Amino acid sequence: MKLANPLNYPLAVLAGGIVLVVGVRLANLSSVVMLPFAAVIATGGAIALKSKEPETMNLENPELARELQLVEQQAQTLAGKAEILRSQATQLLSDGLEVELLAAVQYACDRASELPAKVDQLSQRFQGADSLLSVNDLQQQLEQVNHKQTQASGVAKDQLNQLTASLQRNLQLARQGQDARQAQVTSLSTMIADAAGVLQQLQNKLRTADLNDSEQARELRSLSEELHSLEESFDLLVTK
């Protein structure tokens, strides 16, 4: 529960004042009794109002805070669309022969649904003035990506190449003593936008594809794998 000062919430103070007037003037209750009660009402109202406010980020860089909030919104939107697609896939891919394709789509959608929580974890790491990305953290991320590149091919390898370029740019900024977090958030935003595009393609294809056609089924599976690959790249970027 968030503690709140009623003086910062005029509506809460008004509610407490109304309770006080009603109790003293109309109910003829003692002001000694009503004053603490009115204070409780005002405080409770302030807490309720504060709980509805969006979380603020304790970041020295206001532009970074705004961009991170936008990325959080993007992730929430993508997660909502992924849930819709997951439900549609479950209905459309009901045949026993389509179980493998359904599992691939569901897995990609489940991973997309996890993105808001991962962005929230990243925002917690970014809190405060002393939370700049370190050279060591970025080097570890780069090593992980380089390892995955040796095992990747096709679209997944292309995405990892883009992630490598982003991490190298962030590493250069960090070595220069600059705030590399903003570049990292921009990379996340681009990845989410790319994932949203792939998700839309997957949804469109799923609605119209003839699943008896092996080529169309292969395209659906390829889109699911591409979405999953983007999500893995996202994980690498937000993990220390």
Coordinates of all heavy atoms in Angstrom, one line a residue, residues 77-146:
T77 N 0.9 -3.7 -24.8 CA 0.1 -3.9 -26.0 C 0.4 -5.2 -26.7 O -0.5 -5.9 -27.1 CB 0.3 -2.7 -26.9 OG1 -0.1 -1.5 -26.3 CG2 -0.6 -2.8 -28.2
L78 N 1.7 -5.4 -26.9 CA 2.1 -6.7 -27.5 C 1.6 -7.9 -26.8 O 1.1 -8.9 -27.4 CB 3.6 -6.7 -27.7 CG 4.2 -7.9 -28.4 CD1 3.7 -7.9 -29.9 CD2 5.7 -7.9 -28.3
A79 N 1.7 -7.9 -25.4 CA 1.3 -9.0 -24.6 C -0.2 -9.2 -24.8 O -0.7 -10.4 -24.9 CB 1.6 -8.7 -23.2
G80 N -1.0 -8.1 -24.9 CA -2.4 -8.3 -25.1 C -2.8 -8.9 -26.4 O -3.6 -9.8 -26.5
K81 N -2.1 -8.5 -27.5 CA -2.3 -9.1 -28.8 C -1.9 -10.5 -28.8 O -2.5 -11.4 -29.5 CB -1.5 -8.3 -29.8 CG -2.1 -6.9 -30.1 CD -1.3 -6.1 -31.1 CE -1.9 -4.7 -31.4 NZ -1.2 -3.9 -32.4
A82 N -0.8 -10.8 -28.1 CA -0.3 -12.2 -28.1 C -1.3 -13.1 -27.4 O -1.5 -14.3 -27.9 CB 1.0 -12.3 -27.3
E83 N -2.0 -12.6 -26.4 CA -3.0 -13.4 -25.7 C -4.2 -13.7 -26.7 O -4.8 -14.8 -26.7 CB -3.5 -12.7 -24.5 CG -2.6 -12.8 -23.3 CD -2.3 -14.2 -22.9 OE1 -3.3 -15.0 -22.8 OE2 -1.2 -14.6 -22.6
I84 N -4.6 -12.7 -27.5 CA -5.6 -12.8 -28.5 C -5.3 -13.9 -29.5 O -6.0 -14.8 -29.8 CB -6.0 -11.5 -29.1 CG1 -6.6 -10.5 -28.1 CG2 -6.9 -11.7 -30.3 CD1 -6.8 -9.1 -28.6
L85 N -4.0 -13.8 -30.0 CA -3.6 -14.7 -31.0 C -3.5 -16.2 -30.4 O -3.8 -17.1 -31.1 CB -2.2 -14.3 -31.5 CG -1.5 -15.3 -32.5 CD1 -2.4 -15.4 -33.8 CD2 -0.1 -14.8 -32.9
R86 N -3.1 -16.3 -29.2 CA -3.0 -17.6 -28.6 C -4.4 -18.2 -28.5 O -4.5 -19.4 -28.8 CB -2.5 -17.4 -27.1 CG -2.1 -18.7 -26.5 CD -1.6 -18.5 -25.0 NE -1.0 -19.6 -24.5 CZ -1.6 -20.7 -24.0 NH1 -2.9 -20.8 -24.1 NH2 -0.9 -21.7 -23.6
S87 N -5.4 -17.4 -28.2 CA -6.8 -18.0 -28.1 C -7.2 -18.4 -29.5 O -7.9 -19.4 -29.7 CB -7.7 -16.9 -27.5 OG -9.0 -17.3 -27.5
Q88 N -7.0 -17.5 -30.5 CA -7.4 -17.8 -31.9 C -6.7 -19.1 -32.4 O -7.3 -19.9 -33.1 CB -7.0 -16.6 -32.8 CG -7.9 -15.4 -32.6 CD -7.4 -14.2 -33.4 OE1 -6.3 -14.2 -33.9 NE2 -8.3 -13.2 -33.6
A89 N -5.4 -19.2 -32.1 CA -4.6 -20.4 -32.5 C -5.2 -21.7 -31.9 O -5.3 -22.7 -32.6 CB -3.2 -20.2 -32.2
T90 N -5.6 -21.6 -30.7 CA -6.2 -22.8 -30.0 C -7.5 -23.2 -30.7 O -7.7 -24.4 -30.8 CB -6.4 -22.4 -28.5 OG1 -5.2 -22.0 -27.9 CG2 -7.0 -23.6 -27.8
Q91 N -8.2 -22.2 -31.2 CA -9.5 -22.6 -31.8 C -9.3 -23.1 -33.2 O -10.0 -24.0 -33.7 CB -10.4 -21.3 -31.9 CG -10.9 -20.9 -30.5 CD -11.6 -19.5 -30.6 OE1 -11.8 -19.0 -31.6 NE2 -12.1 -19.1 -29.4
L92 N -8.3 -22.5 -34.0 CA -8.1 -22.8 -35.4 C -7.3 -24.0 -35.6 O -7.5 -24.8 -36.6 CB -7.5 -21.6 -36.1 CG -8.3 -20.3 -36.2 CD1 -7.5 -19.2 -36.7 CD2 -9.5 -20.6 -37.1
L93 N -6.4 -24.3 -34.7 CA -5.5 -25.4 -34.8 C -5.9 -26.6 -33.9 O -5.2 -27.0 -33.0 CB -4.0 -25.0 -34.5 CG -3.5 -23.9 -35.4 CD1 -2.1 -23.5 -34.9 CD2 -3.5 -24.2 -36.8
S94 N -7.1 -27.0 -34.2 CA -7.7 -28.0 -33.3 C -7.5 -29.5 -33.8 O -7.7 -30.4 -33.0 CB -9.2 -27.8 -33.2 OG -9.8 -27.8 -34.5
D95 N -7.0 -29.6 -35.0 CA -6.8 -30.9 -35.6 C -5.6 -31.6 -35.0 O -4.6 -30.9 -34.7 CB -6.6 -30.8 -37.1 CG -6.7 -32.2 -37.8 OD1 -5.7 -33.0 -37.6 OD2 -7.7 -32.5 -38.4
G96 N -5.6 -32.9 -34.8 CA -4.5 -33.5 -34.2 C -3.2 -33.4 -34.9 O -2.1 -33.4 -34.4
L97 N -3.3 -33.3 -36.3 CA -2.1 -33.1 -37.1 C -1.4 -31.8 -36.9 O -0.3 -31.5 -37.4 CB -2.5 -33.3 -38.6 CG -3.0 -34.7 -38.9 CD1 -3.4 -34.8 -40.4 CD2 -2.0 -35.8 -38.6
E98 N -2.1 -30.8 -36.3 CA -1.6 -29.4 -36.2 C -1.1 -29.1 -34.8 O -0.8 -28.0 -34.4 CB -2.8 -28.4 -36.5 CG -3.3 -28.6 -37.9 CD -4.7 -28.0 -38.0 OE1 -5.3 -27.6 -37.0 OE2 -5.3 -28.1 -39.2
V99 N -0.9 -30.2 -33.9 CA -0.5 -30.0 -32.6 C 0.9 -29.4 -32.5 O 1.1 -28.5 -31.7 CB -0.5 -31.4 -31.8 CG1 0.1 -31.2 -30.4 CG2 -1.9 -31.9 -31.6
E100 N 1.8 -29.8 -33.3 CA 3.1 -29.2 -33.3 C 3.1 -27.8 -33.6 O 3.8 -27.0 -32.9 CB 4.0 -30.0 -34.3 CG 5.5 -29.5 -34.2 CD 6.4 -30.3 -35.2 OE1 5.9 -31.3 -35.8 OE2 7.5 -29.8 -35.5
L101 N 2.4 -27.4 -34.6 CA 2.3 -26.0 -35.0 C 1.6 -25.2 -33.9 O 2.1 -24.0 -33.6 CB 1.5 -25.8 -36.3 CG 1.3 -24.4 -36.8 CD1 2.6 -23.7 -37.0 CD2 0.5 -24.4 -38.1
L102 N 0.6 -25.7 -33.3 CA -0.1 -25.0 -32.2 C 0.8 -24.8 -31.1 O 0.8 -23.7 -30.5 CB -1.3 -25.8 -31.8 CG -2.1 -25.3 -30.5 CD1 -2.6 -23.9 -30.8 CD2 -3.2 -26.3 -30.1
A103 N 1.6 -25.8 -30.7 CA 2.6 -25.7 -29.6 C 3.6 -24.6 -29.9 O 3.9 -23.8 -29.0 CB 3.3 -27.0 -29.4
A104 N 4.0 -24.5 -31.1 CA 5.0 -23.4 -31.5 C 4.4 -22.0 -31.4 O 5.0 -21.1 -30.8 CB 5.5 -23.6 -32.9
V105 N 3.2 -21.9 -31.8 CA 2.5 -20.6 -31.7 C 2.2 -20.2 -30.3 O 2.5 -19.1 -29.9 CB 1.2 -20.6 -32.5 CG1 0.4 -19.3 -32.3 CG2 1.4 -20.8 -34.0
Q106 N 1.7 -21.2 -29.5 CA 1.4 -20.9 -28.1 C 2.7 -20.5 -27.3 O 2.6 -19.6 -26.5 CB 0.8 -22.1 -27.5 CG -0.7 -22.4 -27.9 CD -1.3 -23.6 -27.3 OE1 -0.6 -24.5 -27.0 NE2 -2.6 -23.6 -27.1
Y107 N 3.8 -21.2 -27.6 CA 5.0 -20.9 -26.9 C 5.5 -19.5 -27.2 O 5.9 -18.7 -26.3 CB 6.1 -21.9 -27.3 CG 7.4 -21.7 -26.5 CD1 7.5 -21.9 -25.2 CD2 8.5 -21.3 -27.2 CE1 8.6 -21.7 -24.5 CE2 9.7 -21.1 -26.5 CZ 9.8 -21.3 -25.1 OH 10.9 -21.1 -24.5
A108 N 5.4 -19.1 -28.5 CA 5.8 -17.7 -28.9 C 4.9 -16.7 -28.2 O 5.4 -15.7 -27.7 CB 5.8 -17.6 -30.4
C109 N 3.6 -17.0 -28.1 CA 2.7 -16.1 -27.5 C 2.9 -16.0 -26.0 O 2.8 -14.9 -25.4 CB 1.2 -16.5 -27.8 SG 0.7 -16.3 -29.5
D110 N 3.2 -17.1 -25.4 CA 3.5 -17.1 -23.9 C 4.7 -16.3 -23.6 O 4.7 -15.5 -22.6 CB 3.7 -18.6 -23.4 CG 2.4 -19.4 -23.4 OD1 1.3 -18.8 -23.5 OD2 2.5 -20.6 -23.3
R111 N 5.7 -16.4 -24.4 CA 6.9 -15.6 -24.2 C 6.7 -14.1 -24.4 O 7.2 -13.3 -23.7 CB 8.0 -16.0 -25.2 CG 8.5 -17.5 -24.9 CD 9.3 -17.6 -23.6 NE 10.4 -16.7 -23.5 CZ 11.6 -16.9 -23.9 NH1 11.9 -18.0 -24.6 NH2 12.5 -16.0 -23.8
A112 N 5.8 -13.8 -25.4 CA 5.5 -12.4 -25.6 C 4.7 -11.8 -24.4 O 4.9 -10.6 -24.1 CB 4.6 -12.2 -26.9
S113 N 3.9 -12.7 -23.8 CA 3.1 -12.2 -22.6 C 4.0 -11.9 -21.4 O 3.6 -11.2 -20.5 CB 2.1 -13.3 -22.2 OG 1.2 -13.5 -23.2
E114 N 5.3 -12.4 -21.4 CA 6.2 -12.2 -20.3 C 6.9 -10.8 -20.5 O 7.6 -10.4 -19.5 CB 7.2 -13.3 -20.3 CG 6.6 -14.7 -20.0 CD 7.6 -15.8 -20.2 OE1 8.8 -15.5 -20.5 OE2 7.2 -17.0 -20.0
L115 N 6.8 -10.2 -21.6 CA 7.7 -9.0 -21.9 C 7.4 -7.8 -20.9 O 8.3 -7.2 -20.5 CB 7.5 -8.5 -23.3 CG 8.0 -9.5 -24.4 CD1 7.8 -8.8 -25.8 CD2 9.4 -9.8 -24.2
P116 N 6.1 -7.5 -20.6 CA 5.9 -6.4 -19.6 C 6.7 -6.6 -18.3 O 7.2 -5.6 -17.8 CB 4.4 -6.4 -19.4 CG 3.8 -7.0 -20.7 CD 4.8 -8.1 -21.1
A117 N 6.7 -7.8 -17.8 CA 7.4 -8.1 -16.5 C 8.9 -7.9 -16.7 O 9.5 -7.4 -15.8 CB 7.1 -9.5 -16.0
K118 N 9.4 -8.3 -17.9 CA 10.8 -8.1 -18.1 C 11.2 -6.6 -18.2 O 12.3 -6.2 -17.8 CB 11.2 -8.9 -19.3 CG 11.1 -10.4 -19.1 CD 11.4 -11.2 -20.4 CE 11.2 -12.7 -20.1 NZ 11.3 -13.5 -21.4
V119 N 10.3 -5.9 -18.9 CA 10.6 -4.4 -19.0 C 10.5 -3.8 -17.6 O 11.4 -2.9 -17.3 CB 9.6 -3.7 -19.9 CG1 9.8 -2.2 -19.9 CG2 9.7 -4.3 -21.4
D120 N 9.6 -4.3 -16.8 CA 9.5 -3.7 -15.4 C 10.8 -4.1 -14.6 O 11.3 -3.2 -13.9 CB 8.3 -4.3 -14.7 CG 8.1 -3.8 -13.3 OD1 7.9 -2.5 -13.2 OD2 8.2 -4.5 -12.3
Q121 N 11.3 -5.2 -14.8 CA 12.6 -5.6 -14.1 C 13.7 -4.7 -14.6 O 14.5 -4.3 -13.8 CB 12.9 -7.1 -14.4 CG 12.0 -8.1 -13.8 CD 12.3 -9.5 -14.2 OE1 13.2 -9.7 -15.0 NE2 11.5 -10.4 -13.8
L122 N 13.7 -4.4 -15.9 CA 14.8 -3.5 -16.4 C 14.6 -2.1 -15.8 O 15.6 -1.5 -15.4 CB 14.7 -3.4 -17.9 CG 15.8 -2.6 -18.6 CD1 17.1 -3.2 -18.4 CD2 15.4 -2.4 -20.1
S123 N 13.4 -1.6 -15.7 CA 13.2 -0.3 -15.1 C 13.6 -0.2 -13.7 O 14.2 0.8 -13.2 CB 11.7 0.1 -15.3 OG 10.9 -0.7 -14.4
Q124 N 13.5 -1.3 -12.9 CA 14.0 -1.3 -11.6 C 15.5 -1.3 -11.5 O 16.1 -0.6 -10.6 CB 13.5 -2.6 -10.9 CG 12.0 -2.8 -10.7 CD 11.4 -1.6 -10.0 OE1 11.9 -1.2 -8.9 NE2 10.2 -1.1 -10.5
R125 N 16.1 -1.9 -12.5 CA 17.6 -1.8 -12.5 C 18.1 -0.4 -12.9 O 19.2 0.0 -12.5 CB 18.1 -2.8 -13.6 CG 18.2 -4.2 -13.2 CD 18.6 -5.1 -14.3 NE 19.8 -4.6 -15.0 CZ 20.1 -4.9 -16.3 NH1 19.3 -5.6 -17.0 NH2 21.2 -4.4 -16.8
F126 N 17.2 0.3 -13.6 CA 17.6 1.7 -14.0 C 17.4 2.8 -13.0 O 17.7 3.9 -13.2 CB 16.8 2.0 -15.3 CG 17.4 1.4 -16.6 CD1 18.5 0.6 -16.5 CD2 16.8 1.7 -17.8 CE1 19.0 0.0 -17.7 CE2 17.3 1.1 -19.0 CZ 18.4 0.3 -18.9
Q127 N 16.8 2.4 -11.9 CA 16.4 3.4 -10.9 C 17.7 4.1 -10.3 O 18.7 3.4 -10.0 CB 15.6 2.8 -9.7 CG 14.3 2.1 -10.2 CD 13.3 3.1 -10.8 OE1 13.1 4.2 -10.2 NE2 12.8 2.8 -12.0
G128 N 17.5 5.4 -10.0 CA 18.6 6.1 -9.3 C 19.6 6.6 -10.2 O 19.7 6.4 -11.4
A129 N 20.5 7.4 -9.7 CA 21.6 8.1 -10.4 C 22.8 7.2 -10.7 O 23.6 7.5 -11.6 CB 22.0 9.4 -9.7
D130 N 22.9 6.1 -9.9 CA 24.1 5.3 -10.0 C 23.9 4.0 -10.7 O 24.5 3.0 -10.5 CB 24.7 5.0 -8.6 CG 25.1 6.3 -7.9 OD1 25.5 7.2 -8.5 OD2 24.9 6.4 -6.6
S131 N 22.9 4.0 -11.6 CA 22.5 2.8 -12.3 C 22.8 2.7 -13.8 O 22.2 2.1 -14.5 CB 21.0 2.5 -12.1 OG 20.3 3.6 -12.7
L132 N 23.9 3.5 -14.2 CA 24.3 3.5 -15.5 C 24.8 2.1 -15.9 O 25.4 1.3 -15.1 CB 25.4 4.5 -15.8 CG 25.1 5.9 -15.4 CD1 26.3 6.8 -15.8 CD2 23.9 6.4 -16.2
L133 N 24.6 1.7 -17.1 CA 25.0 0.4 -17.6 C 26.6 0.3 -17.5 O 27.3 1.2 -17.9 CB 24.6 0.1 -19.0 CG 23.1 0.0 -19.3 CD1 22.9 -0.2 -20.8 CD2 22.5 -1.2 -18.5
S134 N 27.0 -0.8 -16.9 CA 28.5 -0.9 -16.7 C 29.1 -1.6 -18.0 O 28.4 -2.4 -18.7 CB 28.8 -1.7 -15.5 OG 28.5 -3.1 -15.7
V135 N 30.4 -1.4 -18.1 CA 31.1 -2.0 -19.2 C 31.1 -3.5 -19.0 O 30.9 -4.3 -20.0 CB 32.6 -1.5 -19.3 CG1 33.4 -2.3 -20.2 CG2 32.6 0.0 -19.7
N136 N 31.2 -4.0 -17.8 CA 31.2 -5.5 -17.5 C 29.9 -6.1 -17.9 O 29.9 -7.2 -18.5 CB 31.5 -5.7 -16.1 CG 33.0 -5.5 -15.7 OD1 33.8 -5.5 -16.6 ND2 33.2 -5.2 -14.4
D137 N 28.8 -5.4 -17.5 CA 27.5 -6.0 -17.9 C 27.3 -6.1 -19.4 O 26.8 -7.1 -19.9 CB 26.4 -5.1 -17.3 CG 26.2 -5.2 -15.8 OD1 26.8 -6.1 -15.2 OD2 25.6 -4.3 -15.2
L138 N 27.7 -5.1 -20.1 CA 27.5 -5.0 -21.6 C 28.4 -6.1 -22.2 O 28.1 -6.7 -23.2 CB 27.8 -3.7 -22.1 CG 26.8 -2.6 -21.7 CD1 27.3 -1.2 -22.1 CD2 25.5 -2.8 -22.5
Q139 N 29.6 -6.3 -21.7 CA 30.5 -7.3 -22.2 C 30.0 -8.7 -22.0 O 30.1 -9.5 -22.9 CB 31.9 -7.2 -21.6 CG 32.7 -6.0 -22.1 CD 34.1 -5.8 -21.4 OE1 34.2 -6.2 -20.2 NE2 35.1 -5.3 -22.0
Q140 N 29.3 -8.9 -20.9 CA 28.7 -10.2 -20.6 C 27.6 -10.5 -21.6 O 27.4 -11.6 -22.1 CB 28.2 -10.3 -19.2 CG 29.3 -10.4 -18.2 CD 28.8 -10.3 -16.7 OE1 27.6 -10.4 -16.5 NE2 29.7 -10.2 -15.8
Q141 N 26.8 -9.4 -21.8 CA 25.7 -9.6 -22.8 C 26.2 -9.9 -24.2 O 25.7 -10.7 -24.9 CB 24.8 -8.3 -22.8 CG 24.0 -8.0 -21.6 CD 23.3 -6.7 -21.6 OE1 23.6 -5.8 -22.3 NE2 22.3 -6.6 -20.7
L142 N 27.3 -9.2 -24.6 CA 27.8 -9.3 -25.9 C 28.4 -10.8 -26.0 O 28.3 -11.4 -27.1 CB 28.9 -8.3 -26.1 CG 29.4 -8.1 -27.5 CD1 28.3 -7.8 -28.5 CD2 30.5 -6.9 -27.6
E143 N 29.0 -11.3 -25.0 CA 29.5 -12.6 -25.0 C 28.4 -13.7 -25.2 O 28.5 -14.6 -26.0 CB 30.3 -13.0 -23.7 CG 31.7 -12.2 -23.7 CD 32.3 -12.4 -22.3 OE1 31.8 -13.2 -21.5 OE2 33.4 -11.8 -22.1
Q144 N 27.3 -13.4 -24.5 CA 26.1 -14.3 -24.7 C 25.6 -14.3 -26.1 O 25.3 -15.4 -26.7 CB 25.0 -13.9 -23.7 CG 25.4 -14.2 -22.2 CD 24.2 -13.7 -21.3 OE1 23.7 -12.6 -21.5 NE2 23.9 -14.5 -20.3
V145 N 25.5 -13.1 -26.7 CA 25.0 -13.0 -28.0 C 26.0 -13.7 -29.0 O 25.6 -14.4 -29.9 CB 24.8 -11.5 -28.4 CG1 24.4 -11.4 -29.9 CG2 23.7 -10.9 -27.5
N146 N 27.3 -13.4 -28.8 CA 28.3 -14.0 -29.7 C 28.2 -15.6 -29.7 O 28.3 -16.3 -30.7 CB 29.7 -13.6 -29.4 CG 29.9 -12.1 -29.7 OD1 29.2 -11.6 -30.6 ND2 30.9 -11.5 -29.0

